[in-house]
Amino acid sequence: MSDATVFDQATAMIEKAWDRPIDALETLALQRPVQDPLLRSAMQIRSTLVVSSNAAVVHQDRLHAMTSPGRVPAFYDMERITRAAVDLRIAQAESQARLQAIGSIIDAREAARPPDRDPAIRLAQAAVARSVQAPRTPGPPPGQPSASAPVGPVVAANRPRR
C-alpha cells in the first residue's frame, strides 16, 4: 500500500467521522477557542502524515534509483541501499502509526458521544417501549373496525306501559 493511499484513507476517515468535507474541517480545526479538540488533534496528526508520506516517497525514489534495472550496485552502494530501505520502512511505519492514531481519535469521539444523539430517535424508542408495556384493553384487535353504534333513540323492550 502506498503512502499516498494512507493519506487518502486518513482524509476519508476524518470526513466520514465528522460528516463534512476536509476543507470545512480544516477551517473548524483552526478556530479559537477550540470547539472540537478531537477534530483539532485528528487534523494535526493528518498534517504530520503529509510529512511522513513525503519522506516515504523520497526514500522510495532513492531506493529505486539505486536498484534500477540494468544497474549493478557497487560494493560501497550496499550501505546506501540498505539505509534507504530502512528509512523507507520507518517512514511507512510512521504513516501507519499516524493512521491508527486518527482511528483511535475517531473511536474516542464515538465513545464520548451520548447514546441518544437524536431526540426523534429517543422519542420513537420511548413510544415503542410504552406500547409494549401498555396493557391491552378487551375488544377487537387494533386495526380492525369496531362495531358501529346504533343511530337514533334507544327503546327499552321490557318497560311497562301505562
Side-chain angles (χ1 to χ4, degrees):
M1 177 185 313
S2 71
D3 287 304
T5 304
V6 172
F7 181 73
D8 294 338
Q9 283 179 342
T11 301
M13 286 170 54
I14 292 170
E15 286 178 339
K16 182 180 177 187
W18 274 269
D19 199 27
R20 293 187 184 173
I22 199 71
D23 297 333
L25 294 173
E26 286 173 341
T27 305
L28 285 174
L30 296 176
Q31 290 179 350
R32 296 213 187 265
V34 177
Q35 299 295 324
D36 190 351
L38 292 175
L39 172 63
R40 186 176 196 132
S41 297
M43 295 304 287
Q44 287 175 343
I45 294 171
R46 181 179 172 269
S47 68
T48 61
L49 189 58
V50 172
V51 174
S52 63
S53 294
N54 289 339
V57 168
V58 167
H59 296 306
Q60 189 171 14
D61 290 345
R62 185 177 299 148
L63 187 61
H64 283 280
M66 288 187 277
T67 59
S68 60
R71 183 177 188 281
V72 178
F75 176 73
Y76 57 85
D77 285 340
M78 292 306 202
E79 178 65 30
R80 289 179 26 203
I81 292 171
T82 304
R83 188 77 221 149
V86 168
D87 290 343
L88 175 60
R89 296 287 287 177
I90 290 170
Q92 288 175 334
E94 288 174 349
S95 295
Q96 287 297 321
R98 288 182 173 114
L99 185 64
Q100 288 177 352
I102 290 172
S104 296
I105 288 173
I106 291 170
D107 291 344
R109 180 178 184 264
E110 293 297 320
R113 185 178 284 177
D116 295 326
R117 293 183 296 252
D118 190 19
I121 292 173
R122 189 178 68 241
L123 291 174
Q125 289 171 342
V128 169
R130 281 193 307 271
S131 68
V132 170
Q133 295 172 355
R136 289 274 186 205
T137 57
Q144 291 184 356
S146 60
S148 60
V151 180
V154 177
V155 179
N158 294 336
R159 267 175 101 177
R161 291 190 181 194
R162 292 189 204 190

